[in-house]
Amino acid sequence: METAKFLPESSLEAWLAELASSGELIVPRREGDAVVFGPYDPNVPLELSRDATAPPKSVVFPACEELLRYTYVKDAEDISKTGMSVEEVTPACGAVVFGARPCGARGFTVYDRVFDAEGMRDPYYAARRAATAFVTLACREAGSACFCHWVGSGPADPQGSDVLLTPVPGGYVAEAVTEKGAALLASPLMAPAGKHAGEAKAVRAKAMESLDTAQDVSPAREALLAAFDDMDFWNRMSAKCISCGACTYLCPTCYCFNITDEAQGNGGTRLRSWDNCMSFQFTLEASGHNPRPTKAHRLKNRVGHKFSYYPGIHGGVVACCGCGRCIRSCPAGVDIREIVLAAMERATAKPQE
Amino acid sequence: MQSLEDIKAKIKDALPGLDCVIGWERGWSPLHGTPLFMRSPEDVDRLTWGPFNVGNPATYLTGFKGKKVGVVVKGCDSRSVVQLLQEKLVKREDVVVFGMPCEGVVDLTKVARKVGDIALVNAAVRAGGTLSVTTPEGMVEIPWEEVAADKCLSCQYPNALVSDHFAGEPLPPAMGRDPAAEQLAALEAMAPAELFAHWAKVMERCIRCYACRNACPMCVCRDHCIAQTRDPHWLTQEDSTREKLMFQMIHALHLAGRCTECGECQRSCPVDIPILALRRKLNAVVKDLFDYQAGVDPQAVPPLFTFQVEEAKINERGW
């Protein structure tokens, strides 16, 4: 890209300080043995050597947010009547997220089709999304749980990023992907990329090489539908799943939520918080009936949503960014790749079902 | 390994009468073992034994209510089986236990401290007192006691406490240091405000995923856990540190006198919150008050399953 810049390693802190001075800056930091995103603090070391355990999705889609506050108000004229006053809560906006891997930012392109589409705009999400910029860091090397290339992405995928950094000897090559990103690169700390542009290319090529052969997962769309009623298949696939929500909460593309009214005395708040399809309550109906009574039904939904139902209504786009967090952090080692491949294999073996 | 072949043969013999036998196979990386549900002799051939068989297969037993299943256990896992039997959550005649002597399992959090990103590890082998881990940067040799799970260093039960089939020579208890006791002593030395600040700080990064709960073999409410009830809505869905810590307190109290310290809660935490210490503290209290240790004697009655008007060590009228 013509607009490539070079940021020497020695100027990284100065650039972060500059970004932090003009608004909220969220970076991956080490907390205990975990790497999680949090506000930039020069006294807390950055952790860029490995992808964060939790992606930065809460910056745009918080784990829990207030949608409104309400208070019951007695009618002064007629005390048998109670009215309600409702106060809308507008999200505080604006952050630069630094240091996510491209997959972590690309996840939001999956959200956009759901929360920020014509005729279906979630004002809370849209406000945060518009005010957030992602400065991502291309991967040098693929891990054994990474499969971004299966879902049409890659270690230096610019989709979803505003600035893409590629680590090169002595610093980073920075490329603006969007206008928002170009504005961030206006800093005087940025030098012309020069010879570093070629080094960046080499780093990216090496990262691509470190990935295994990509599987074509497009047949999964039909294959998962074909397996829908095969509960024997799903019982086998979900045997080791413990039905917790770690995979969904760590997933950069999972966006399901719950809404609860948290009452206190005469009023309360309406909260929107992350929900997940691994939970019994997720589909529990008011009648007491639950169409997804077992973990097998629930895991079927998770895999089906990402590789079949979502692509079915969004032009074939897979709702998975291939970051591998669901595999890396699963307490039981459930591997979504195995399930998708098994469903595809099942469809080939039994095409006439 | 001869004993692994022996146990495989025993599993194959038993399989026709069982729904499945739960053990381990190699997972997504050389460092990761993953639960294996054996239903055919070919499945049994994938069974592994060794330092990467970290998870506790007893966690799955209550999910097979009404069926006969087999389970392959380490000594610590067998304590969970014993506790489940004591609490009548599992029937003895419904479970066939396969055991082998255990030389300890790896703590992947400790490995990550040594080698960084464990997702980049492409080989891992334990030979005696050393774990050799190969990353793109080269091979690192780590003394075993630096990467073994805390519980293994001073493990008193390396052989299954209950088993129908046991292969291999039983091992003596481990005589290493007890990092759990050291950690507990450090926490107990803190002033209340400091201790509270410690827990508040570490709970900040909790994502309320409930992996700690679902991985626990003794957390049997599962789908009906108080944390997510709708009616009544006992706990708010707020993600404040206070609420997250509240859940951990509930979890720990529900395990008082029941927790076998298998460590699955902490191991399963994706953000590495050191929550096992809460259970250890309660276990220490139960040991002190009732002289009871969970999961070691199938005939014993857990203290919270009994009632005595005058408890020997609780001075009810003394204050």
Side-chain angles (χ1 to χ4, degrees):
Chain A
M1 198 185 277
E2 290 300 311
T3 54
K5 300 276 180 69
F6 177 69
L7 178 72
E9 184 70 48
S10 55
S11 300
L12 177 63
E13 273 195 39
W15 190 44
L16 291 174
E18 200 181 286
L19 292 173
S21 69
S22 51
E24 196 174 9
L25 177 63
I26 306 292
V27 299
R29 338 187 297 177
R30 182 168 285 280
E31 286 186 20
D33 286 301
V35 182
V36 294
F37 282 87
Y40 174 68
D41 177 345
N43 300 314
V44 181
L46 277 180
E47 180 57 82
L48 300 177
S49 72
R50 65 176 172 103
D51 195 8
T53 317
K57 75 174 176 182
S58 58
V59 177
V60 174
F61 184 63
C64 179
E65 67 180 322
E66 269 189 355
L67 299 179
L68 55 86
R69 296 186 193 125
Y70 62 91
T71 320
Y72 291 107
V73 190
K74 284 273 182 212
D75 189 324
E77 301 297 313
D78 178 356
I79 55 163
S80 68
K81 285 186 187 162
T82 307
M84 181 183 275
S85 99
V86 175
E87 180 195 344
E88 194 181 340
V89 180
T90 328
C93 276
V96 172
V97 178
F98 173 89
R101 299 300 168 99
C103 49
R106 190 180 193 262
F108 288 110
T109 62
V110 170
Y111 284 58
D112 291 343
R113 291 181 200 90
V114 178
F115 288 130
D116 198 6
E118 274 315 314
M120 284 187 295
R121 181 152 286 127
D122 179 273
Y124 300 86
Y125 174 82
R128 285 200 176 86
R129 179 82 167 108
T132 304
F134 290 91
V135 179
T136 57
L137 181 62
C139 299
R140 264 185 234 267
E141 187 122 32
S144 44
C146 295
F147 61 108
C148 54
H149 57 319
W150 291 27
V151 295
S153 183
D157 186 348
Q159 275 190 79
S161 299
D162 295 289
V163 171
L164 180 65
L165 301 178
T166 307
V168 293
Y172 303 90
V173 168
E175 292 166 53
V177 180
T178 64
E179 281 182 25
K180 224 191 275 181
L184 297 176
L185 294 189
S187 164
L189 295 162
M190 297 284 167
K195 70 174 169 81
H196 299 294
E199 292 169 351
K201 250 188 195 166
V203 167
R204 291 174 182 194
K206 195 163 166 265
M208 272 313 283
E209 273 172 33
S210 71
L211 288 156
D212 56 7
T213 311
Q215 298 278 344
D216 174 15
V217 294
S218 54
R221 192 168 144 189
E222 290 303 321
L224 287 162
L225 289 179
F228 194 86
D229 291 319
D230 186 351
M231 284 317 289
D232 180 53
F233 174 80
W234 289 108
N235 281 326
R236 274 187 290 120
M237 290 298 120
S238 66
K240 62 187 172 184
C241 171
I242 57 170
S243 214
C244 70
C247 53
T248 67
Y249 286 178
L250 296 174
C251 174
T253 67
C254 273
Y255 51 75
C256 287
F257 58 82
N258 187 15
I259 290 180
T260 47
D261 284 349
E262 308 281 345
Q264 279 198 323
N266 250 350
T269 55
R270 175 161 295 181
L271 298 183
R272 169 159 75 181
S273 54
W274 290 351
D275 201 350
N276 79 86
C277 53
M278 299 296 114
S279 152
F280 177 80
Q281 288 84 356
F282 187 73
T283 47
L284 179 60
E285 295 171 8
S287 66
H289 171 68
N290 196 331
R292 292 192 202 134
T294 71
K295 66 182 182 183
H297 292 84
R298 299 175 212 158
L299 191 60
K300 172 173 78 173
N301 181 71
R302 177 168 159 82
V303 182
H305 186 181
K306 298 201 173 299
F307 288 89
S308 182
Y309 323 149
Y310 186 103
I313 52 175
H314 293 288
V317 176
V318 174
C320 167
C321 63
C323 69
R325 281 188 177 83
C326 56
I327 303 167
R328 282 200 299 276
S329 289
C330 175
V334 174
D335 190 333
I336 196 168
R337 295 172 296 191
E338 282 176 12
I339 303 175
V340 171
L341 294 179
M344 283 167 29
E345 198 178 310
R346 180 193 169 280
T348 331
K350 295 193 206 173
Q352 300 309 322
E353 239 190 340
Chain B
M1 199 193 339
Q2 188 52 47
S3 48
L4 177 59
E5 293 313 312
D6 292 348
I7 211 81
K8 280 180 182 173
K10 285 174 176 166
I11 294 171
K12 284 178 186 174
D13 285 346
L15 255 188
L18 300 170
D19 187 79
C20 67
V21 177
I22 314 162
W24 302 262
E25 65 179 319
R26 190 198 137 125
W28 60 271
S29 96
L31 282 170
H32 289 81
T34 188
L36 167 68
F37 291 74
M38 295 169 267
R39 294 194 160 90
S40 69
E42 295 74 45
D43 294 340
V44 181
D45 291 333
R46 302 198 328 251
L47 180 71
T48 55
W49 184 260
F52 309 117
N53 287 5
V54 178
N56 182 350
T59 295
Y60 297 101
L61 288 181
T62 50
F64 286 94
K65 205 171 180 176
K67 290 178 179 163
K68 279 189 191 296
V69 292
V71 62
V72 188
V73 293
K74 309 184 289 289
C76 51
D77 307 328
S78 79
R79 286 185 61 189
S80 304
V81 176
V82 168
Q83 187 64 25
L84 287 167
L85 292 171
Q86 280 182 261
E87 296 188 18
K88 299 184 172 47
L89 292 164
V90 168
K91 287 186 184 156
R92 186 66 187 89
E93 61 270 28
D94 284 350
V95 55
V96 179
V97 184
F98 300 87
M100 288 210 280
C102 174
E103 294 179 49
V105 294
V106 73
D107 180 335
L108 293 180
T109 300
K110 293 184 186 175
V111 178
R113 283 180 204 153
K114 301 279 181 187
V115 305
D117 191 349
I118 56 173
L120 296 178
V121 168
N122 39 44
V125 180
R126 181 185 174 189
T130 307
L131 182 74
S132 306
V133 179
T134 312
T135 71
E137 261 97 64
M139 193 171 80
V140 189
E141 293 198 330
I142 313 167
W144 174 250
E145 61 271 17
E146 291 177 23
V147 280
D150 281 358
K151 65 179 177 182
C152 304
L153 296 173
S154 58
C155 174
Q156 295 305 297
Y157 308 104
N159 314 298
L161 283 162
V162 54
S163 65
D164 300 289
H165 304 281
F166 192 86
E169 279 301 307
L171 285 167
M175 303 298 282
R177 44 185 278 265
D178 185 358
E182 293 162 23
Q183 181 201 25
L184 210 52
L187 290 170
E188 283 171 343
M190 289 182 184
E194 191 190 355
L195 189 60
F196 190 77
H198 161 78
W199 285 111
K201 178 73 195 151
V202 295
M203 290 309 297
E204 262 177 25
R205 61 179 185 269
C206 166
I207 56 171
R208 278 190 88 159
C209 68
Y210 301 123
C212 51
R213 174 191 75 188
N214 289 34
C216 174
M218 303 313 300
C219 255
V220 288
C221 304
R222 301 284 161 110
D223 290 348
H224 304 282
C225 173
I226 185 175
Q228 289 165 301
T229 53
R230 294 251 172 98
D231 190 15
H233 183 53
W234 292 113
L235 292 194
T236 154
Q237 296 308 299
E238 268 173 38
D239 70 338
S240 66
T241 306
R242 192 184 66 163
E243 298 303 329
K244 295 168 182 175
L245 187 51
M246 177 71 177
F247 172 71
Q248 287 305 331
M249 292 300 157
I250 294 171
H251 190 176
L253 281 166
H254 281 185
L255 290 167
R258 308 177 59 229
C259 170
T260 57
E261 298 188 25
C262 70
E264 284 292 87
C265 50
Q266 181 163 317
R267 183 191 70 83
S268 294
C269 178
V271 287
D272 280 296
I273 304 174
I275 41 178
L276 181 56
L278 293 169
R279 284 99 180 133
R280 285 188 179 131
K281 174 63 188 171
L282 281 169
N283 273 356
V285 172
V286 167
K287 177 89 175 116
D288 184 44
L289 270 183
F290 303 106
D291 192 25
Y292 178 84
Q293 200 182 5
V296 294
D297 177 5
Q299 306 312 320
V301 181
L304 296 186
F305 281 57
T306 67
F307 174 74
Q308 294 181 51
V309 177
E310 298 283 347
E311 281 289 352
K313 285 195 175 176
I314 302 176
N315 185 3
E316 286 213 59
R317 296 159 209 230
W319 39 57

